């Protein structure tokens, strides 16, 4: 079945430094949809951004990601971390109407 | 913004107890999902449905039943609850499926003692 791997369980950063959260995936479907969801403390996950198109950068709220089918990757980046970015981030894959999530990366941004 | 409402928000039961978690979405979405969230495991799919009367098995279905009675309502049933089912449960819906975002409810925190 489908799988999503997020290698970092916890990322700790100083405010103003760049953010990169890793996401790789495995699927038998040739045209999967990839998503990043963000979950702040005591809230439910909500969509941050999504992509379907190979090698096209997608951006939202200062974050960006590019789907690379050749390497099965969809890494999340931001040029400058803010304190309010502290949250749990999930990468998710949907190839056949059955969304699969990674284990999540907890991002902690400190002053 | 799509509305997904879960009830109860918190539930405590004993081992062997019978629990029903409820989820209602009011946006006529076709797909509805039940996930459990556990530290170190992320969000894991229990059951899902693409319409009233339909049920699909997710990745961690053991110990859970589900029923989609209407387009709006999706229930998760634990007939013999065990401590391993202590978790935060999220219901989600999406309009058509693969390319659509999920809209999550606020979650139900279940404790099995």
């Amino acid at each position: 079945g489908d799988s999503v791997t997020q290698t970092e369980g916890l990322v700790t950063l100083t405010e103003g430094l760049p953010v990169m959260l890793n996401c790789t995936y495995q699927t038998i479907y040739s045209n999967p949809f990839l998503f990043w969801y963000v979950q702040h403390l005591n809230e439910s996950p909500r969509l941050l951004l999504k992509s379907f198109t190979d090698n096209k950068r997608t951006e939202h709220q200062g974050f960006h990601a590019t789907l690379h089918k050749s390497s099965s990757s969809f890494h999340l980046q931001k040029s400058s971390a803010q304190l309010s970015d502290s949250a749990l981030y999930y990468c998710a894959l949907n190839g056949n109407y059955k969304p699969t999530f990674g284990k999540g990366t907890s991002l902690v941004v400190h002053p | 913004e799509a509305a997904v409402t879960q009830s109860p928000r918190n539930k405590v039961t004993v081992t062997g107890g019978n629990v029903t978690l409820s989820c209602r979405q009011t946006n006529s979405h076709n797909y509805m999902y039940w996930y459990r969230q556990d530290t170190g495991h992320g969000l894991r799919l229990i059951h899902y449905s693409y319409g009233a009367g339909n049920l699909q098995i997710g990745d961690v279905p053991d110990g859970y039943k589900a029923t989609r009675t209407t387009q709006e309502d999706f229930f998760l049933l634990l007939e013999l609850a065990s401590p391993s089912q202590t978790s935060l449960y999220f219901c989600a819906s999406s309009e058509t499926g693969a390319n659509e975002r999920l809209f999550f409810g606020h979650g139900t925190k279940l404790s099995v003692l």
Side-chain angles (χ1 to χ4, degrees):
Chain A
D2 294 343
S3 67
V4 175
T5 301
Q6 295 181 247
T7 51
E8 310 100 352
L10 173 67
V11 172
T12 304
L13 285 174
T14 301
E15 187 179 19
L17 291 181
V19 178
M20 181 163 173
L21 306 183
N22 291 313
C23 173
T24 56
Y25 64 90
Q26 286 187 310
T27 181
I28 63 172
Y29 300 95
S30 57
N31 296 304
F33 289 88
L34 273 293
F35 303 79
W36 277 101
Y37 287 84
V38 58
Q39 183 180 17
H40 287 95
L41 190 62
N42 297 322
E43 295 182 4
S44 54
R46 61 174 176 81
L47 179 70
L48 181 58
L49 48 78
K50 69 177 184 181
S51 183
F52 167 76
T53 307
D54 197 13
N55 298 316
K56 182 179 179 181
R57 174 170 161 148
T58 183
E59 299 188 40
H60 187 63
Q61 296 183 335
F63 287 90
H64 62 92
T66 302
L67 176 59
H68 292 294
K69 292 186 179 180
S70 61
S71 58
S72 298
S73 67
F74 190 56
H75 305 318
L76 182 68
Q77 299 182 68
K78 188 178 185 185
S79 59
S80 176
Q82 299 177 290
L83 296 177
S84 58
D85 294 330
S86 294
L88 181 58
Y89 291 81
Y90 283 109
C91 183
L93 160 73
N94 197 344
N96 64 335
Y97 303 94
K98 182 184 169 187
T100 299
F101 286 76
K103 293 184 178 181
T105 297
S106 183
L107 176 64
V108 177
V109 182
H110 57 83
Chain B
E1 179 87 359
V4 180
T5 304
Q6 293 182 236
S7 61
R9 294 293 294 270
N10 291 281
K11 176 72 177 180
V12 179
T13 190
V14 295
T15 300
N18 196 321
V19 177
T20 298
L21 307 185
S22 302
C23 178
R24 167 167 281 201
Q25 55 94 4
T26 57
N27 291 277
S28 300
H29 285 174
N30 293 317
Y31 286 78
M32 295 186 74
Y33 307 86
W34 278 108
Y35 286 90
R36 59 178 291 174
Q37 182 179 41
D38 304 285
T39 303
H41 294 279
L43 288 161
R44 293 181 289 175
L45 182 62
I46 304 170
H47 290 298
Y48 63 110
S49 165
Y50 53 72
N54 175 265
L55 182 64
Q56 302 294 316
I57 295 172
D59 298 318
V60 290
D62 292 348
Y64 301 95
K65 292 184 180 179
T67 180
R68 180 92 176 266
T69 54
T70 65
Q71 184 77 350
E72 294 77 21
D73 298 303
F74 195 30
F75 301 93
L76 186 67
L77 297 82
L78 292 74
E79 295 184 331
L80 286 172
S82 72
S84 65
Q85 295 176 308
T86 293
S87 186
L88 180 59
Y89 291 87
F90 282 104
C91 176
S93 72
S94 70
E95 187 170 357
T96 57
N99 62 332
E100 296 292 334
R101 58 178 286 190
L102 298 186
F103 292 88
F104 286 86
H106 285 99
T108 295
K109 186 174 181 181
L110 174 66
S111 297
V112 184
L113 305 178

